Amino acid sequence: MRVAILHGPNLRLLGIREPEVYGSGTLADINEDLRQLAVELGVDVEVFQSNHEGELVDFIEEAAGRVRGFLVNAGGLTHTSVALRDALIGVGLPFVEVHLSNVAAREPFRHHSYLSAVSEGVVFGFGARSYLLGLRGLVGRLSDG
Ligand code: DQA
């Protein structure tokens, strides 16, 4: 079983970007932890980061032929992107939405997600652990059949 992990805009700045909000770990740290967990769970992962909405849409369309689902931190596009939502619905594969920060406790514009209602589930507020919990949730859901 193979799943894809998507990181949206500005997430490659993790480690230097607002550490009081996002922590001091880097995106490479997160990806390494995810790869280790994937081995434990017996799944293959591929990772993609882009700051560009269209590139994320292209990746979703291309990867859909080889993966069973997606783990998605869409960053700021979470709150704005109909295109990303349509792409994820369009390929018809399950996905889990994750965020490092507790978006519900932040600015009102972060309270709405275009993705949540069409996701399998959402994990936020646990820092890098949100990704790990999200991967467990996604793989668990896929294993349920
Ligand atoms: C984020 C939350 C978003 O509101 C923000 O735009 C991000 C990161 C998070 O992981 O907490 O870029 O997705």
Side-chain angles (χ1 to χ4, degrees):
M1 185 193 300
R2 172 178 282 261
V3 301
I5 296 158
L6 257 74
H7 305 288
N10 300 309
L11 291 168
R12 75 175 76 148
L13 293 177
L14 288 177
I16 53 171
R17 174 191 184 201
E18 299 175 84
E20 66 289 356
V21 178
Y22 298 115
S24 55
T26 65
L27 192 61
D29 295 333
I30 290 173
N31 288 336
E32 179 52 33
D33 289 349
L34 284 166
R35 288 187 194 286
Q36 277 182 27
L37 178 60
V39 170
E40 188 188 310
L41 297 175
V43 295
D44 293 327
V45 290
E46 59 183 274
V47 179
F48 183 74
Q49 190 277 332
S50 178
N51 292 331
H52 304 281
E53 186 176 29
E55 284 186 4
L56 291 162
V57 170
D58 286 346
F59 178 82
I60 291 165
E61 291 180 1
E62 286 159 16
R66 57 180 187 267
V67 302
R68 297 266 311 277
F70 296 93
L71 184 70
V72 182
N73 184 353
L77 291 173
T78 306
H79 318 297
T80 63
S81 181
V82 174
L84 213 49
R85 172 190 170 112
D86 285 348
L88 287 160
I89 295 172
V91 297
L93 293 175
F95 74 95
V96 169
E97 174 184 348
V98 299
H99 302 282
L100 297 140
S101 64
N102 180 352
V103 284
R106 299 183 63 195
E107 303 96 319
F109 66 83
R110 295 186 205 276
H111 297 178
H112 177 260
S113 164
Y114 278 97
L115 307 182
S116 300
V118 292
S119 73
E120 294 297 309
V122 186
V123 184
F124 59 82
F126 294 98
R129 283 197 191 90
S130 294
Y131 281 93
L132 302 175
L133 294 165
L135 183 61
R136 285 186 187 278
L138 177 64
V139 172
R141 183 54 61 90
L142 290 170
S143 306
D144 290 343

